Amino acid sequence: MAYNKPIPRKGQHNQPFWDGAKEGKLMLPRCTLCGKVHWYPRLICPSCHSTDLEWIEGSGEGRLHTFAVQHRAFGGWAEEVPYVTAYIDLNEGDRMMTVLRGVDPNKPEDIKIGAKVKVEFDQADDDTHIPFWRVVEE
Amino acid sequence: MAAINLSMGAAIVGAAESNEIGYPEERGEKVTSLQHHIQAIKNVSEYTGIPISDIEGIFSTGWSVELAEHLGIRPHYIDTTSVGGCSFEIHVHHALAAIASGIIDVAVVSHGEAGWSYRGAGGGGGGRGEMSPGAEMTMAYGTFGAPSQYAHAMVRHMHQYGSTVEDFAHISVVTREWAQKNPRALMFTDASQAEVKLGERTPNPFGGPITVQDVLDARIIAWPLTLFHCCLVTDHGGAVIVARPEIARSLRTNPVWIAGAGESMAHQNMLEMDDFTATSAARSSAIAYEMAGLGPQDMDMALIYDSFTVTAAITAEMLGLAPRGQGCRLWKDGDAAPGGRLPINTNGGGLSFNHSGMYGMQLLVEAYRQLSGTAEDGINGIEGKQTDSHTCVVNGTGGTLSTTGTLVLVSDD
Ligand SMILES: [Zn+2]
């Protein structure tokens, strides 16, 4: 079945991320001056304001920072309620948003903040492999 | 940086709403946002006795030029700050600065938002042809509107401080209790109270008091938020006039003095929210308290943006009214309730009074009503007021727990 949910918009500032995603790599922007990884991709380092940025391959691992269970949705997502949305603390620093897998949306009290998560990619179209995160065993 | 202390450099000299707030559409009347603006400005002009032609500064969320043209005035101070629901507290801050520095004597801050009648009509941020790079990286993940995002903050608060859904539910219950004292509140009454004087209003069958259990049992929107943790969606217009002290003292209305004002921001995208249990209200209120020479312990009451219960709880903590993690206790222990130590959201709040999308003007109108003693008579115990407050901290929150504006307001004794 064709992917029927919103597909992220792309631009020069984030193209290396989507190129990496096609190969199953989680590419992250890093500042060459201060060395900090930031998410989302930007035109300038938000820590030291250098514009000398590079891309590194991330570990694809992180921890669950917080979550919510969505019961009201539209478009393609409406078919999937309830589902868990979440913010992920990347091992490399900073935070990503996702729809979280490997958890039961009907038992939110069982979802553990701090749980270990790993990234996986779903192909949405020829140019877009969207990262999703899954709770995994320690 | 040595700044001029703006404290008491201007006063809010009057506040008014548009003629029909809530769901005017249900009475067969579709009121536009522009109508709400113009009605509110006309009403506040008549209330204060300040002619519209005396307005020198105009403050609104993007409407200022349209409004000035419509009113046939040519202000020489123009502000269109549009940063969500806190814009109006920020407008008052800016008006204070413009007046205290001698640029203008009289400013109007105006709000008109047919949030219900024109729901789904689009508007928010469209047409720029560009998307925030942060939003590009979250648009894939199935969040829809404010509740879907704010729920993440509530879960983090529960994790970090051990607060419970029940704790937050007390905020809905107490705020609904306040709404029972305000006939203008959408949730003022239910059909069984139809004998209560309502003017021409239709009794609201969904109004009336609620319990914690009602909040828990309400339709789930985004766990842990049920419908009753979420604000209303209504129509509203309102305006306040801010004026130089000499003018404020010469009017027939009671002035409410701007003792302190501050604004701050944290992020545009929730993705960039460092601490999901904190907002920039800690900074905006620190600035406002310092300007006022007053602190949270000096506040008789508080008006706190309650787009969601979690917004109110976290903001109460940021304003120093409760310890970190303990915001809900103000409501749970009865401090915030009618007759309590620190009345909060005496109009019934965004949860039960009115919330048009941006709720900051409703806060200003209520602050003026309470501190000037001009709330409707005969319903509040204390004539003209729900409380006997002389000091009030007002805090607006815009975006997704993003921008904030804080005012410390005081009345003459
Ligand atoms: Zn840097």
Side-chain angles (χ1 to χ4, degrees):
Chain A
M1 195 183 84
Y3 193 82
N4 64 349
K5 304 180 183 72
I7 292 175
R9 305 220 304 195
K10 296 166 198 70
Q12 218 174 0
H13 60 286
N14 64 26
Q15 194 57 50
F17 176 81
W18 297 111
D19 293 343
K22 269 192 199 178
E23 298 168 22
K25 295 177 183 170
L26 186 78
M27 300 302 289
L28 299 172
R30 183 170 69 181
C31 173
T32 61
L33 189 63
C34 73
K36 284 189 183 158
V37 166
H38 59 266
W39 187 257
Y40 51 91
R42 301 182 191 226
L43 307 174
I44 187 168
C45 169
S47 296
C48 75
H49 306 132
S50 164
T51 51
D52 196 359
L53 309 173
E54 63 178 355
W55 289 84
I56 60 162
E57 184 180 349
S59 64
E61 293 183 0
R63 298 277 171 182
L64 175 60
H65 184 78
T66 190
F67 68 94
V69 187
Q70 306 299 335
H71 289 261
R72 181 178 164 275
F74 302 94
W77 282 111
E79 299 161 17
E80 306 226 355
V81 292
Y83 54 90
V84 177
T85 51
Y87 287 89
I88 304 301
D89 288 329
L90 303 172
N91 282 4
E92 291 78 8
D94 221 332
R95 201 172 284 156
M96 266 190 187
M97 201 198 164
T98 193
V99 170
L100 189 66
R101 295 171 172 175
V103 291
D104 183 352
N106 293 307
K107 290 181 182 166
E109 51 285 332
D110 290 349
I111 300 173
K112 297 273 185 297
I113 284 177
K116 187 176 178 182
V117 291
K118 278 192 172 174
V119 76
E120 59 194 41
F121 293 88
D122 278 13
Q123 182 167 4
D125 64 23
D126 287 347
D127 301 319
T128 317
H129 291 60
I130 301 176
F132 290 91
W133 293 77
R134 179 181 293 277
V135 171
V136 294
E137 298 283 319
E138 286 288 335
Chain B
M1 185 186 69
I4 308 164
N5 192 336
L6 303 176
S7 184
M8 314 295 266
I12 300 174
V13 297
E17 289 174 320
S18 52
N19 301 338
E20 292 281 351
I21 61 171
Y23 298 148
E25 182 195 10
E26 288 187 353
R27 288 183 289 281
E29 185 188 1
K30 200 151 183 163
V31 181
T32 65
S33 298
L34 179 64
Q35 281 176 286
H36 283 292
H37 272 289
I38 298 298
Q39 289 171 4
I41 292 169
K42 176 72 176 165
N43 290 344
V44 77
S45 165
E46 289 182 351
Y47 175 75
T48 56
I50 295 177
I52 288 173
S53 54
D54 280 6
I55 294 169
E56 298 171 309
I58 188 156
F59 299 73
S60 70
T61 56
W63 284 83
S64 294
V65 174
E66 180 78 35
L67 294 177
E69 178 187 278
H70 208 90
L71 295 164
I73 58 172
R74 298 291 179 269
H76 55 270
Y77 200 101
I78 301 131
D79 186 311
T80 61
T81 302
S82 184
V83 291
C86 61
S87 299
F88 310 92
E89 285 67 38
I90 290 176
H91 291 152
V92 170
H93 181 204
H94 297 177
L96 169 68
I99 291 168
S101 60
I103 302 170
I104 53 172
D105 289 338
V106 175
V108 69
V109 178
S110 183
H111 168 63
E113 190 174 30
W116 173 257
S117 296
Y118 290 86
R119 64 194 179 280
R128 280 192 307 160
E130 280 188 28
M131 181 179 261
S132 161
E136 287 170 347
M137 287 302 175
T138 54
M139 63 176 287
Y141 301 122
T143 49
F144 298 91
S148 67
Q149 285 290 0
Y150 276 68
H152 296 90
M154 186 158 154
V155 170
R156 185 70 198 184
H157 193 281
M158 289 160 63
H159 167 76
Q160 218 159 299
Y161 298 110
S163 51
T164 65
V165 183
E166 288 84 350
D167 291 339
F168 287 96
H170 283 279
I171 299 175
S172 309
V173 171
V174 167
T175 308
R176 183 66 71 91
E177 199 182 332
W178 279 115
Q180 304 318 304
K181 298 180 175 301
N182 179 3
R184 292 149 51 255
L186 195 74
M187 293 300 180
F188 170 57
T189 190
D190 61 19
S192 68
Q193 295 171 294
E195 68 278 12
V196 174
K197 186 177 164 234
L198 283 171
E200 293 177 10
R201 263 199 51 193
T202 314
N204 179 0
F206 302 103
I210 52 173
T211 64
V212 167
Q213 197 60 46
D214 290 335
V215 180
L216 299 179
D217 293 344
R219 180 160 58 89
I220 186 80
I221 304 293
W223 187 90
L225 294 171
T226 64
L227 185 65
F228 286 177
H229 287 278
C230 305
C231 65
L232 305 165
V233 181
T234 60
D235 294 357
H236 188 267
V240 298
I241 290 180
V242 183
R244 192 159 57 86
E246 294 77 3
I247 295 171
R249 287 195 197 92
S250 73
L251 298 170
R252 62 186 182 221
T253 58
N254 296 332
V256 170
W257 299 97
I258 306 163
E263 64 192 61
S264 189
M265 61 159 286
H267 53 269
Q268 166 73 16
N269 301 283
M270 205 167 183
L271 184 59
E272 289 298 301
M273 190 168 180
D274 291 334
D275 179 349
F276 276 69
T277 69
T279 74
S280 60
R283 288 198 296 281
S284 57
S285 67
I287 295 166
Y289 287 138
E290 190 188 354
M291 185 190 293
L294 298 169
Q297 70 285 352
D298 300 313
M299 297 298 110
D300 295 337
M301 65 174 289
L303 290 165
I304 298 177
Y305 206 97
D306 57 343
S307 45
F308 302 94
T309 53
V310 62
T311 321
I314 291 178
T315 304
E317 298 167 24
M318 295 299 108
L319 299 178
L321 303 172
R324 284 296 294 274
Q326 302 294 313
C328 297
R329 292 203 69 104
L330 290 170
W331 287 268
K332 195 177 179 183
D333 295 346
D335 292 331
R341 173 182 66 83
L342 181 74
I344 299 179
N345 295 348
T346 46
N347 55 356
L351 293 168
S352 285
F353 162 52
N354 184 296
H355 193 302
S356 52
M358 294 182 290
Y359 175 69
M361 177 55 73
Q362 288 89 326
L363 292 171
L364 293 180
V365 170
E366 180 63 7
Y368 184 79
R369 290 170 77 240
Q370 293 301 327
L371 294 184
S372 65
T374 55
E376 287 84 349
D377 288 346
I379 51 164
N380 307 320
I382 300 164
E383 191 176 334
K385 289 183 165 196
Q386 270 94 345
T387 77
D388 57 0
S389 303
H390 289 283
T391 56
C392 178
V393 59
V394 181
N395 191 87
T397 304
T400 44
L401 296 165
S402 312
T403 43
T404 55
T406 310
L407 301 174
V408 174
L409 302 177
V410 301
S411 62
D412 289 327
D413 287 331

